[in-house]
């Protein structure tokens, strides 16, 4: 029964454990990260702005249905005019004053002796107006074309910014992933140190029983063994924190561990700096071009604005008013030209020019900064690689010295305090070698990003 329980527990831990590769972690982050999804929406918003700016060129078509009822003399007369029912009789004239003035023409035939209502006291009348209006720009002083260009540039800018953010997220995933790998190696190294210190305690205890060493040797070994216990707890905590950060970045809660270090290959001898490869530079450049177009946008207020208006409709005193005898067509062209505005337009143009100059200065500053960043990243990577070799060699030598020290202690040629000091040095050397390995991977990734490259190009 006990064996069956152990087997079930082992199978359960295998099923629920999820050790992932860097490739999987990266794909999960690109797919699930909510911050990245939120940033992608900026592209869609920019596309909508472009669609809106493009739509202004086509004008606006509207449908109106207006219903009115009145016994106001002037209003009633206007209703009759709009529905083509007005006559001279509506002015109060009759047949004795002006023969035939009170006649009406209906369907081409003259109908006489139409008695007009009292001019000042007409009865109530309804009016149903149905119309379509189409208003469109003819010339806007290049305002619409400038707005469209600005919107198009912002789509370009937001796409570049999104690509830049994806690469930065990839770097964060690498830091979390390789951080978890480093923490796991810390745990393994500390466990090895734990075995060594436990053996020190056991050997010192045996030597004490035989009377070859004092009780202080045993206590020194026990104290250092406790210290290793605390170091092991700290290493496990760092691993848990790195895994937690990886879960956060990937929005995947079932990650339990990671595989080996993800190494980034960069040949520093064949590097060519091209700022145009940087997505953040593309973003800044598009913003600078947008500010330049804004100058043209503000200048449009200095030109006359010309627009057109077309209207087609029907008027009648009944709802079913679609009658060709009572329809009308209106066409109009309007021009608006601003003669004086107390310098408002001029100041707006000047401000737009200043904003463009300021943004352009930031662009040039970024260009110089990118070159410095690449040079710094190259030097950092070269240094980190050299340091890694030294740390690895030092760790090997410290292990050899520890082994020799252990033999010397067994032969009573070395004090326990000296042996424990050497163990501490060996433990520190291993930790530094692991950390140096981690720092090389991050330095290589940062160089790739500085060059405008992605850290996953060689990741399969």
């Amino acid at each position: 029964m006990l064996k069956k329980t152990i087997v079930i527990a082992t199978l359960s831990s295998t099923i629920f454990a999820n050790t992932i590769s860097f490739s999987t972690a990266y794909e999960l982050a690109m797919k699930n990260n909510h911050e990245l999804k939120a940033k992608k929406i900026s592209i869609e918003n920019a596309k909508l702005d472009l669609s809106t700016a493009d739509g202004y060129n086509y004008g606006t078509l509207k449908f109106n249905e207006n219903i009115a009822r009145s016994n106001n003399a002037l209003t009633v007369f206007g209703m009759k005019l709009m529905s083509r029912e007005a006559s001279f009789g509506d002015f109060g004239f009759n047949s004795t004053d002006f023969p035939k003035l009170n006649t009406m023409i209906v369907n081409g035939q003259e109908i006489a002796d139409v008695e007009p209502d009292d001019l000042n006291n007409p009865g109530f009348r309804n009016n149903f107006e149905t119309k379509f209006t189409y208003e469109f720009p003819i010339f806007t002083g290049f305002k619409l074309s400038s707005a469209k260009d600005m919107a198009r540039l912002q789509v370009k800018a937001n796409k570049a910014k999104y690509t830049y953010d994806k690469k930065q997220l990839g770097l964060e995933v690498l830091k979390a992933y390789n951080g978890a790998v480093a923490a796991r190696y810390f745990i393994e190294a500390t466990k090895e140190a734990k075995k060594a210190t436990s053996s020190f305690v056991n050997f010192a205890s045996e030597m004490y029983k035989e009377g070859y060493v004092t009780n202080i040797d045993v206590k020194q070994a026990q104290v250092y063994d406790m210290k290793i216990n605390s170091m092991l707890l700290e290493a496990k905590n760092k691993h848990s924190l790195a895994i937690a950060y990886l879960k956060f970045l990937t929005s995947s809660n079932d990650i339990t561990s990671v595989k080996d270090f993800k190494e980034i290959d960069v040949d520093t001898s064949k590097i060519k700096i091209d700022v145009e490869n940087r997505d953040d530079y593309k973003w800044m450049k598009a913003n600078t071009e947008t500010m330049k177009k804004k100058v043209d946008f503000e200048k449009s207020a200095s030109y006359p604005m010309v627009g057109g208006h077309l209207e087609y409709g029907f008027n009648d005193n009944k709802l079913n008013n679609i009658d060709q005898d009572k329809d009308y067509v209106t066409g109009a062209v309007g021009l608006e030209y601003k003669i004086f505005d107390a310098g408002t337009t001029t100041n707006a143009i000047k401000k737009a020019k200043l904003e463009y100059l300021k943004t352009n200065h930031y662009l040039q500053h970024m260009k110089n900064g990118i070159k410095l960043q690449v040079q710094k990243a190259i030097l950092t990577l070269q240094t980190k690689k050299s340091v890694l070799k030294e740390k690895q060699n030092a760790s090997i030598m410290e292990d050899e010295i520890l082994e020799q020290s252990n033999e010397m202690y067994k032969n009573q040629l070395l004090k326990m305090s000296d042996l424990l000091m050497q163990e501490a040095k060996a433990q520190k050397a291993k930790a530094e070698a692991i950390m140096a390995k981690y720092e090389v991977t991050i330095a290589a990734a940062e160089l790739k990003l500085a060059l405008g490259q992605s850290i996953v190009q060689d990741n399969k």
Side-chain angles (χ1 to χ4, degrees):
M1 185 67 183
L2 179 60
K3 290 183 178 179
K4 186 181 292 186
T5 304
I6 294 173
V7 171
I8 293 173
T10 304
L11 288 174
S12 299
S13 62
T14 303
I15 292 172
F16 292 106
N18 186 13
T19 301
I20 64 170
S21 65
F22 175 76
S23 176
T24 302
Y26 181 87
E27 290 172 2
L28 286 171
M30 296 302 116
K31 179 182 177 181
N32 300 334
N33 187 267
H34 292 289
E35 184 179 18
L36 191 63
K37 289 180 179 180
K39 290 177 178 179
K40 191 175 184 179
I41 294 175
S42 298
I43 299 176
E44 301 305 316
N45 284 336
K47 288 180 179 179
L48 290 174
D49 290 339
L50 175 58
S51 178
T52 300
D54 189 44
Y56 286 136
N57 286 315
Y58 300 100
T60 305
L61 178 64
K62 296 180 181 179
F63 169 78
N64 293 90
E65 180 67 36
N66 300 315
I67 303 173
R69 177 176 175 81
S70 177
N71 67 344
N72 180 277
L74 185 59
T75 303
V76 171
F77 179 63
M79 290 177 178
K80 288 185 176 182
L81 282 174
M82 289 189 292
S83 61
R84 297 183 182 179
E85 296 178 17
S87 67
F88 284 101
D90 291 307
F91 289 94
F93 301 135
N94 54 42
S95 58
T96 57
D97 295 325
F98 296 96
K100 290 192 173 184
L101 289 183
N102 63 334
T103 61
M104 295 180 64
I105 304 298
V106 180
N107 294 327
Q109 296 183 353
E110 182 180 284
I111 301 177
D113 300 325
V114 177
E115 295 297 330
D117 294 332
D118 190 331
L119 177 64
N120 294 315
N121 297 287
F124 277 96
R125 178 181 174 88
N126 298 324
N127 186 72
F128 297 89
E129 179 188 40
T130 303
K131 66 178 180 179
F132 296 89
T133 59
Y134 177 53
E135 296 177 338
F136 54 95
I138 298 175
F139 178 70
T140 62
F142 311 106
K143 186 173 188 177
L144 290 182
S145 60
S146 297
K148 188 175 179 180
D149 290 340
M150 290 168 65
R152 187 180 295 108
L153 285 167
Q154 282 305 294
V155 172
K156 184 178 179 181
N158 279 280
K159 285 182 177 179
K161 184 65 167 60
Y162 176 70
T163 304
Y164 174 80
D165 290 333
K166 282 182 67 176
K167 292 178 180 178
Q168 292 297 314
L169 176 60
L171 177 61
E172 289 302 307
V173 173
L174 181 68
K175 288 179 178 179
Y177 182 88
N178 279 0
V181 174
R184 193 188 71 214
Y185 278 120
F186 284 146
I187 292 172
E188 292 174 1
T190 308
K191 285 181 178 179
E192 289 297 321
K194 174 65 177 176
K195 291 179 182 178
T197 54
S198 295
S199 68
F200 293 164
V201 172
N202 294 332
F203 185 75
S205 298
E206 291 297 324
M207 294 283 283
Y208 173 68
K209 290 178 182 179
E210 298 293 332
Y212 294 112
V213 298
T214 63
N215 190 36
I216 193 169
D217 285 40
V218 178
K219 291 182 178 179
Q220 285 176 337
Q222 289 175 337
V223 169
Y224 192 78
D225 190 56
M226 294 175 186
K227 183 179 179 181
I228 292 296
N229 289 337
S230 63
M231 291 172 65
L232 183 59
L233 291 173
E234 290 175 356
K236 288 181 178 180
N237 182 59
K238 288 180 179 179
H239 182 266
S240 298
L241 289 174
I243 292 296
Y245 188 40
L246 195 59
K247 288 179 179 180
F248 167 74
L249 294 173
T250 60
S251 296
S252 178
N253 293 321
D254 58 348
I255 300 172
T256 56
S257 189
V258 292
K259 295 183 179 180
D260 211 348
F261 277 113
K262 167 59 184 174
E263 298 188 24
I264 309 296
D265 296 324
V266 185
D267 188 354
T268 56
S269 64
K270 298 180 180 179
I271 287 177
K272 182 180 179 181
I273 302 175
D274 185 1
V275 295
E276 295 291 341
N277 291 332
R278 286 279 294 259
D279 297 294
D280 51 344
Y281 181 81
K282 294 176 184 177
W283 168 74
M284 193 65 182
K285 187 177 181 180
N287 284 332
T288 303
E289 292 172 355
T290 301
M291 298 309 299
K292 187 176 182 180
K293 283 292 179 182
K294 193 172 187 298
V295 176
D296 296 332
F297 181 84
E298 297 296 347
K299 284 182 178 179
S300 63
S302 302
Y303 295 96
M305 309 287 283
V306 182
H309 177 93
L310 296 177
E311 187 174 318
Y312 177 69
F314 305 87
N315 282 278
D316 202 354
N317 63 345
K318 55 187 178 181
L319 182 61
N320 186 16
N321 60 354
I322 302 179
D323 188 342
Q324 289 185 349
D325 292 334
K326 296 186 178 183
D327 67 346
Y328 71 94
V329 177
T330 302
V333 175
L335 183 147
E336 179 183 307
Y337 184 67
K338 190 182 294 183
I339 298 175
F340 176 75
D341 63 0
T344 303
T345 300
T346 303
N347 289 337
I349 295 172
K350 288 180 179 179
K351 185 177 180 180
K353 287 181 177 179
L354 290 173
E355 289 296 325
Y356 165 66
L357 288 173
K358 183 174 74 172
T359 309
N360 191 52
H361 282 308
Y362 281 127
L363 179 66
Q364 299 306 315
H365 177 73
M366 174 181 280
K367 189 174 183 178
N368 295 332
I370 287 172
K371 294 177 181 178
L372 175 62
Q373 185 182 10
V374 172
Q375 292 170 352
K376 180 181 177 182
I378 292 172
L379 293 173
T380 300
L381 178 58
Q382 291 174 341
T383 302
K384 295 294 183 183
K385 284 183 175 180
S386 298
V387 169
L388 174 60
K389 290 180 181 179
E390 296 297 327
K391 295 293 185 182
Q392 288 175 335
N393 290 333
S395 179
I396 293 172
M397 291 185 67
E398 290 290 355
D399 283 341
E400 293 174 353
I401 295 172
L402 176 61
E403 186 176 350
Q404 294 173 1
S405 299
N406 193 20
E407 291 297 322
M408 292 177 67
Y409 178 77
K410 289 179 180 179
N411 293 315
Q412 297 183 340
L413 298 175
L414 193 72
K415 293 187 297 183
M416 174 58 74
S417 59
D418 294 332
L419 176 61
L420 294 176
M421 184 181 296
Q422 187 55 48
E423 169 62 32
K425 288 180 179 180
Q427 178 71 11
K428 182 181 178 183
K430 286 180 182 179
E432 289 178 349
I434 294 169
M435 195 63 191
K437 177 70 173 178
Y438 168 80
E439 290 177 351
V440 165
T441 62
I442 302 305
E446 289 177 342
L447 176 55
K448 272 207 161 188
L449 293 183
L451 294 170
Q453 301 173 9
S454 173
I455 63 175
V456 296
Q457 289 175 342
D458 60 344
N459 178 61
K460 298 295 182 184

